[in-house]
Amino acid sequence: MSKRNPEYDFVWCPGCGDFGVRRALEFALAEYTIENEKPHGSNVIVAGIGCSGNMVHLMEGDQPFGIHGIHGRTLPIALGIKSGRDDLNAVIVAGDGDFLSIGAEHIGPAAQRNLDVTCVIMDNGVYGLTKGQSSPTSDIGMVTASTPYGKIEIPMSPLNYYMTVGVSYIASYYSSKPKILAKYIQQAMDHRGFSIVHVQSPCTTYNDTYDLLKGKPRDGIKGLAWEIPDDHDPSNEKSAKELLQKPGIPLGLIYKFEGKTLQDRQQEIRERIGEKTVEANLASYTV
Amino acid sequence: MNKNTNNLDNLSEKTDFVIRFAGEGGQGLVTSADALARAATSAGYYTQTFSTFPSQIMGGPASSQVRISTSPVLSSGDGVDVLVALNKFSYDNHYQDLVDGGVTIYNAEEYSLPDGGQYFGIKADELAKSTGNARAANMVTIGAVASLINFSLEEVDNFIRKRFTRGRDGDEEIIKANISAVRLGVEVANLSGFSVGELAPASKSDGDQIMVTGNIALSLGATAAGLNYYVGYPISPATTILVWMENNLVGENKFAYQVSSEIEAISAIVGAGYSGKKAMTATAGPGISLMSEGLGLAWMSEIPVVVVDVQRGGPATGLPTKSEQSDLFTCLHPAHGDVKMPILAPGTVEECFYAGALAVNWAERYQGPVIIMSEMALSDRGENIPKPDLASIKNETRNVYEGKNGFKRYQTWDGSGDLTPMPIPGGAGAYVANGSEHDEIGDTTHLPKHHIRLTERRFNKLKLLGEAHYEIENENADIIISPWGSSKGPAREAYERLRRNNRNVGWVYTVALHPMPDVVLDALKTAKRVIVPELNYQGQWSTLLRQDGVNAESITKYDGTPFRPGELVESIKVKLK
Ligand SMILES: Cc1ncc(C[n+]2csc(CCOP(=O)(O)OP(=O)(O)O)c2C)c(N)n1
Ligand code: SF4
Ligand SMILES: [Mg+2]
């Protein structure tokens, strides 16, 4: 919504990381739209269900189209948008629960398709909207509303998972520097293929990880996040994998390869087979 | 009259024959029935094929039959006139379906039967080999069948020429071998001395005919109305729609694709419908269950999509290759919350074509999901139908918003005047298509006033629908027979037989189950007593009709097979007493 809508009844908590992600997305969309000379209405935000997905209603300035569907299904909804309308820029906004738990079954297939969509995943290590239950990225032992005696699973590693299933653009960042985050989101939109920008976006209410991420030398906390060195070659699969073996949270572009997309291959079939008309299809059954 | 016969009276000339090939899956049963159907259709007869097989590709008991008639075929009939039994097991399982005077051709290479019965053996493989073409065994059998029903050999020859003229070297040789195979079969049958009668000459129908299954007819119909987006996940008996689309929905702006689950399928068509495509998926019961949340999303956010449920039997994995009409409750209310889906339930292969087209148009017109309920009994049976005139098929285009930005997509609407247009991404009027309750521009809200006005809007939109094929006859009779879906065929045959016997029965039938045409609902409500033949245990359609104030009761069947006209005649007679 471009102005505050008094009837819209959701707000993010003060300090929520999603504010920064929104600013970054707004920057990226504005730049992308100008650079590609496209109308703002050709951007479609496909939102997951969660605090993070509510971003689709909270965008300021020129309004993109949006679809705020059902929990976990952003990828197949975006598949429908993109495979039918390759001219649109489909951007997914979703949380760690939406994308990596209930929606995880769609990541592998989307990677195999090299579906040309951009995912901005807001990982807060918790289910925010449902009031603080554990998520796939919550730490083992973490006490949450649904793990009162400590979580009894090891956390998943989303970046390694993306690498394994073959996502063609993988970046990792955090919400605190929207201008830099915007750069990766815009790169991901420009990348022709399946792109994920995985963002650490702390939940101030249920899992405040700001200090843990950035460090707090005064209290002797060393930050988990570290900048990926400039000499990292993101086109090199082996070094990308090695990078992901290092502890902590890398910030920057991890991996990227250029390949055909689902839409490219579909176009090749159209060109090879030609047009099949309804008239000809019908006539082929004449007795 | 014989207890089981499909023929009207004891005429010397018969108007109707059922020929059944029974054996194991993979033995070419379908091919034989199909070949006979095509030969008969070319000769101007009406035909319908029907197969049952277990969920395995090779082996396991299977059968495929063809009904040949001088008038349009309404069902797979009652008894069998000629049974071709390729193994002893299938003879034991099918001979009791023979009409009085029916004849069995048994596979003498596999087994023998004691002297003196209504049967004779044939060594089709051996005879085929003697023609120099071992693959012509089917044709030996077809020759024998043709002789038994006194079917014109000239027509069989024509068919063989048509089928094997493929512009290759050796076509002529293959044609010759097949024709001699037919003659060898004829000879064996002639020697046996049996005959089941003579098929009356065909009254060639005007205009072109096409030979299609229900699933192909439905696919053709949907694309005739402009369908340009299809995704699906393989599941019997809906898979053939996916396969057809992958083969034929090809070209500029068209897309057909296999996704990785039914959840992906429904979500993807919602995304495609939202972006302006005419989008469809097809599945069976298990897939419908998985699609329920996505169907609710299409209803809630008002996105045009078409979902086909080709029903099979049972809950869970159920009976994948059997026929049942048991998904009605589910399809009407597949999703949680206040939802009631528009439903078209075609009853014949021809109606599958028109339902496919109408569903696409309905979805565009009212901006929401439409469900077509088909069935195993329609999806896989082949039938010749008049070739549809494409010029007569409407191709309704969506009312797309073309004004300035700041459009209110979800305005209050009471059902009068035009429905608000729909903005399409890439154009003006950006909004959020929202699965949460929302305000005019699509922002989430829990305010009661919005939930009230949008719940009403979503139901008011149904007023835009309702027109579809229906039939009303003798509505003042003591008993109205009112089937739905594929039970139409056998019920119609039963109705016609009862009328010929001066029974006081009437007929009401509608393809649109929801919303129903007003005249149909009125006729049902004023009827004294409505009998609904349906293939499920609970009597789902009569239960729903009773909610609408109709005095309805069901004749149910739930063994996985369609009704036979004869059994319906008997059960309706009981009700008439
Ligand atoms: C099918 C279904 N199951 C459960 C829910 C309830 N639900 C809403 S949001 C959510 C989790 C959100 O977590 P995440 O995706 O991490 O988003 P966050 O709120 O943390 O941004 C759940 C379980 C739902 N809406 N739909
Ligand atoms: S609960 Fe957490 S994730 Fe949700 S808005 Fe508040 S801070 Fe953000
Ligand atoms: Mg979360």
Side-chain angles (χ1 to χ4, degrees):
Chain A
M1 79 197 114
S2 41
K3 288 188 225 84
R4 274 228 37 74
N5 177 352
E7 292 187 347
Y8 178 61
D9 48 18
F10 178 87
V11 285
W12 284 318
C13 310
C16 175
D18 296 351
F19 282 106
V21 182
R22 178 186 67 189
R23 277 191 67 205
L25 181 58
E26 284 165 359
F27 286 141
L29 281 174
E31 281 296 307
Y32 175 86
T33 307
I34 293 166
E35 278 179 20
N36 290 279
E37 294 178 16
K38 285 194 168 178
H40 215 84
S42 68
N43 298 310
V44 183
I45 308 297
V46 184
I49 305 298
C51 297
S52 39
N54 280 310
M55 169 143 349
V56 69
H57 303 292
L58 295 166
M59 306 284 292
E60 293 178 348
D62 281 343
Q63 291 299 290
F65 271 80
I67 178 163
H68 198 181
I70 45 177
H71 196 33
R73 312 303 166 200
T74 55
L75 277 173
I77 290 174
L79 166 70
I81 294 168
K82 219 27 213 188
S83 57
R85 291 279 309 277
D86 202 14
D87 59 310
L88 301 175
N89 175 36
V91 182
I92 285 168
V93 293
D96 46 328
D98 188 284
F99 199 69
L100 297 168
S101 184
I102 189 170
E105 70 199 64
H106 308 297
I107 302 173
Q112 270 73 78
R113 292 165 189 148
N114 198 20
L115 181 69
D116 183 23
V117 301
T118 298
C119 310
V120 178
I121 304 308
M122 284 155 269
D123 185 353
N124 53 12
V126 76
Y127 284 12
L129 192 67
T130 46
K131 298 190 188 302
Q133 297 80 15
S134 82
S135 93
T137 54
S138 314
D139 276 337
I140 189 162
M142 183 169 151
V143 173
T144 72
S146 59
T147 54
Y149 310 119
K151 182 178 160 179
I152 53 177
E153 300 151 25
I154 48 170
M156 84 174 291
S157 162
L159 299 173
N160 276 301
Y161 184 72
Y162 302 152
M163 229 18 242
T164 307
V165 295
V167 177
S168 67
Y169 177 103
I170 306 169
S172 163
Y173 212 71
Y174 56 29
S175 59
S176 307
K177 293 181 182 167
K179 281 250 162 77
I180 302 176
L181 174 57
K183 189 186 80 181
Y184 291 113
I185 296 178
Q186 199 191 333
Q187 266 183 18
M189 290 176 189
D190 285 330
H191 174 72
R192 184 144 174 90
F194 186 34
S195 346
I196 301 181
V197 181
H198 193 89
V199 189
Q200 300 299 321
S201 180
C203 168
T204 38
T205 302
Y206 299 110
N207 191 24
D208 190 339
T209 51
Y210 279 115
D211 289 349
L212 215 63
L213 274 171
K214 296 196 282 187
K216 199 175 181 193
R218 192 154 37 99
D219 296 351
I221 303 174
K222 211 171 152 280
L224 279 173
W226 51 274
E227 296 279 346
I228 295 174
D230 286 345
D231 64 356
H232 170 62
D233 174 10
S235 67
N236 185 327
E237 188 178 340
K238 195 162 157 269
S239 40
K241 283 184 173 159
E242 278 165 14
L243 192 90
L244 292 179
Q245 297 317 306
K246 302 193 178 128
I249 293 179
L251 303 177
L253 175 59
I254 293 158
Y255 181 61
K256 176 178 161 154
F257 77 84
E258 307 284 343
K260 285 182 185 170
T261 64
L262 181 78
Q263 300 97 297
D264 295 336
R265 294 184 202 278
Q266 188 65 25
Q267 189 55 31
E268 286 172 6
I269 291 180
R270 287 189 191 108
E271 280 157 22
R272 181 155 49 86
I273 305 299
E275 188 78 23
K276 290 210 171 179
T277 65
V278 180
E279 292 76 11
N281 285 336
L282 185 60
S284 69
Y285 295 99
T286 312
V287 271
Chain B
M1 204 156 88
N2 291 336
K3 68 168 166 48
N4 254 342
T5 185
N6 305 301
N7 287 286
L8 301 184
D9 302 291
N10 287 322
L11 305 170
S12 58
E13 251 185 1
K14 300 284 174 75
T15 53
D16 198 304
F17 279 119
V18 173
I19 296 103
R20 183 179 296 169
F21 301 84
E24 268 179 43
Q27 281 186 314
L29 305 168
V30 177
T31 324
S32 301
D34 190 63
L36 206 52
R38 281 173 192 277
T41 308
S42 309
Y45 291 99
Y46 295 88
T47 61
Q48 188 184 100
T49 60
F50 180 74
S51 305
T52 63
F53 32 84
S55 195
Q56 52 196 112
I57 304 303
M58 291 288 186
S63 76
S64 192
Q65 69 172 46
V66 53
R67 187 172 177 192
I68 303 172
S69 177
T70 51
S71 55
V73 181
L74 296 170
S75 75
S76 42
D78 279 312
V80 173
D81 296 278
V82 178
L83 171 67
V84 179
L86 295 180
N87 54 34
K88 182 69 172 29
F89 180 83
S90 50
Y91 174 76
D92 291 340
N93 268 281
H94 291 272
Y95 80 88
Q96 66 279 18
D97 290 343
L98 284 163
V99 301
D100 295 349
V103 174
T104 299
I105 303 173
Y106 68 86
N107 178 2
E109 267 145 347
E110 278 271 325
Y111 64 102
S112 58
L113 294 169
D115 286 349
Q118 284 274 110
Y119 43 65
F120 63 91
I122 197 163
K123 293 188 171 174
D125 285 334
E126 196 181 299
L127 292 173
K129 269 187 209 131
S130 75
T131 71
N133 186 341
R135 295 169 65 183
N138 278 350
M139 288 301 163
V140 175
T141 317
I142 285 174
V145 173
S147 155
L148 284 179
I149 63 175
N150 290 288
F151 185 79
S152 149
L153 290 183
E154 204 185 316
E155 294 292 355
V156 178
D157 294 352
N158 285 342
F159 164 77
I160 290 174
R161 271 194 205 97
K162 214 156 130 191
R163 161 168 287 193
F164 296 106
T165 304
R166 293 173 289 196
R168 297 185 204 153
D169 293 347
D171 278 1
E172 237 354 271
E173 231 165 277
I174 294 172
I175 291 169
K176 254 201 213 143
N178 275 282
I179 290 180
S180 7
V182 168
R183 294 301 182 284
L184 291 172
V186 170
E187 227 169 87
V188 179
N190 284 349
L191 277 174
S192 79
F194 287 114
S195 164
V196 292
E198 188 162 338
L199 192 57
S203 48
K204 272 219 191 280
S205 42
D206 304 337
D208 281 347
Q209 298 274 314
I210 57 170
M211 180 93 173
V212 285
T213 63
N215 274 356
I216 290 173
L218 198 156
S219 306
L220 284 166
T223 50
L227 186 90
N228 54 15
Y229 189 94
Y230 183 92
V231 291
Y233 187 76
I235 182 169
S236 296
T239 309
T240 46
I241 298 181
L242 171 66
V243 170
W244 191 92
M245 292 290 175
E246 291 264 20
N247 273 291
N248 298 305
L249 190 63
V250 183
E252 217 37 52
N253 291 318
K254 298 178 200 162
F255 185 76
Y257 180 62
Q258 176 180 332
V259 288
S260 63
S261 70
E262 287 85 353
I263 291 180
E264 286 212 334
I266 184 70
S267 308
I269 63 169
V270 165
Y274 163 78
S275 330
K277 308 300 282 190
K278 292 186 174 185
M280 183 169 102
T281 187
T283 187
I288 285 289
S289 295
L290 285 178
M291 288 183 191
S292 59
E293 195 187 13
L295 276 162
L297 171 62
W299 170 271
M300 186 73 168
S301 56
E302 305 189 29
I303 294 171
V305 295
V306 176
V307 172
V308 184
D309 175 15
V310 189
Q311 294 165 93
R312 57 197 221 179
T317 304
L319 299 161
T321 57
K322 295 287 173 186
S323 215
E324 205 166 87
Q325 304 177 292
S326 51
D327 292 353
L328 192 50
F329 289 156
T330 306
C331 285
L332 207 49
H333 305 282
H336 57 277
D338 257 338
V339 166
K340 197 171 180 186
M341 295 288 161
I343 293 188
L344 292 168
T348 64
V349 169
E350 189 175 9
E351 286 172 10
C352 283
F353 178 91
Y354 294 99
L358 187 58
V360 174
N361 287 333
W362 272 19
E364 293 297 315
R365 195 192 305 160
Y366 104 112
Q367 301 173 12
V370 175
I371 296 187
I372 301 177
M373 297 189 70
S374 184
E375 298 160 46
M376 170 74 197
L378 292 171
S379 62
D380 287 42
R381 91 177 184 217
E383 217 172 288
N384 63 309
I385 63 169
K387 184 175 173 187
D389 172 18
L390 287 177
S392 73
I393 304 298
K394 274 203 239 158
N395 194 326
E396 293 186 28
T397 46
R398 193 177 307 181
N399 185 7
V400 172
Y401 178 72
E402 280 164 351
K404 286 187 296 220
N405 280 338
F407 177 62
K408 292 182 169 162
R409 155 106 170 87
Y410 297 114
Q411 290 164 38
T412 304
W413 193 67
D414 66 1
S416 56
D418 288 340
L419 182 62
T420 41
M422 189 171 164
I424 301 298
Y431 74 105
V432 179
N434 200 341
S436 305
E437 194 56 289
H438 39 270
D439 61 13
E440 277 100 342
I441 60 167
D443 278 342
T444 306
T445 176
H446 298 86
L447 289 182
K449 67 171 185 188
H450 288 301
H451 188 44
I452 293 168
R453 67 175 191 85
L454 286 188
T455 301
E456 288 169 2
R457 173 186 156 100
R458 290 186 286 267
F459 278 94
N460 284 336
K461 290 196 302 171
L462 294 169
K463 293 178 191 164
L464 295 167
L465 313 177
E467 91 290 355
H469 176 74
Y470 66 85
E471 298 163 13
I472 299 176
E473 287 170 35
N474 303 307
E475 70 265 39
N476 297 319
D478 292 344
I479 277 184
I480 298 294
I481 304 173
S482 191
W484 66 278
S486 78
S487 293
K488 178 192 184 184
R492 181 72 201 183
E493 254 183 87
Y495 166 75
E496 286 175 4
R497 280 190 213 169
L498 289 160
R499 293 289 302 175
R500 275 197 301 274
N501 285 305
N502 299 318
R503 299 296 189 143
N504 194 0
V505 289
W507 175 260
V508 175
Y509 168 77
T510 174
V511 172
L513 299 186
H514 179 246
M516 240 193 285
D518 290 340
V519 277
V520 173
L521 189 56
D522 288 346
L524 288 170
K525 274 183 174 165
T526 47
K528 288 175 216 140
R529 201 173 163 199
V530 175
I531 305 285
V532 179
E534 53 184 327
L535 300 173
N536 61 64
Y537 176 80
Q538 298 176 82
Q540 297 192 8
W541 184 226
S542 74
T543 302
L544 292 165
L545 286 177
R546 283 197 298 278
Q547 286 173 9
D548 280 335
V550 177
N551 180 22
E553 65 203 271
S554 295
I555 294 174
T556 61
K557 183 177 182 184
Y558 37 89
D559 68 353
T561 65
F563 284 110
R564 294 175 183 211
E567 71 185 343
L568 279 180
V569 167
E570 293 313 312
S571 356
I572 294 166
K573 272 189 192 160
V574 172
K575 305 251 182 202
L576 279 165
K577 266 175 203 153

